[in-house]
Structure formats: C-alpha cells, structure tokens
C-alpha cells in the first residue's frame, strides 16, 4: 500500500517487514528511510507489510502485516513502533 501525507510518501515494504518513507519535493522522490514495523529481526517469510493507513490527525501510521495477521502502529513523526 501507499500513503501520501503532504511531502511524505509511505510504502509497504512487503517481505522486508518494514515501511519505506520517502520525501516528495517538487514532484520527485527524495530521501528514503526504512521504518521497522516489527519489534525484532525479520526472517524471510515471517512478515509481509501490505496495506497502510494514516490516522486522521496524521500522527499514527497503521501497517498491516498480512503474514502475521497483525497491525503495527508507528509514530509518523519518529517512525518508531
């Protein structure tokens, strides 16, 4: 999944078990960061981050882990669980 929030784009990282955060300025993707959507290391096949959603106030990013049937809540500002 993708979420556009102002000048920030979030993308589900699939089997990486993470969320990718990109800056978007002037219509171009810029700086990237990897946000952990799991509390520990992820082995291949253990996690798959699919759909994403942002809370109405823009503070919480919801990441669906469809492999684990779990929902990770990340602070959209800090990227921490």
């Amino acid at each position: 999944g993708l979420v556009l929030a102002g000048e920030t784009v979030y993308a589900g990282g699939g089997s990486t078990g993470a969320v990718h955060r990109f800056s978007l300025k002037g219509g171009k993707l810029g700086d990237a960061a990897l946000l952990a959507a799991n509390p520990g290391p992820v082995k291949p096949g253990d996690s798959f981050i699919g759909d994403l959603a942002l809370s109405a106030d823009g503070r919480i990013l919801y990441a669906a882990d469809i492999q684990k049937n779990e929902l990770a809540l990340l602070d959209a500002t800090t990227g921490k669980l």
Side-chain angles (χ1 to χ4, degrees):
L2 289 173
V3 169
L4 176 60
E7 292 187 337
T8 304
V9 176
Y10 299 94
S15 62
T16 66
V19 174
H20 300 274
R21 179 175 61 195
F22 301 92
S23 64
L24 180 65
K25 294 182 182 176
K28 295 182 180 181
L29 286 179
D31 303 329
L34 195 61
L35 312 179
N38 287 275
V42 176
K43 296 177 187 173
D46 283 354
S47 179
F48 193 96
I49 302 301
D51 290 335
L52 302 173
L54 192 63
S55 63
D57 62 7
R59 293 176 35 200
I60 304 294
L61 180 68
Y62 301 93
D65 189 326
I66 58 178
Q67 181 68 29
K68 294 171 140 182
N69 291 323
E70 294 179 351
L71 187 63
L73 280 66
L74 294 97
D75 183 306
T77 304
T78 66
K80 295 186 179 186
L81 284 171

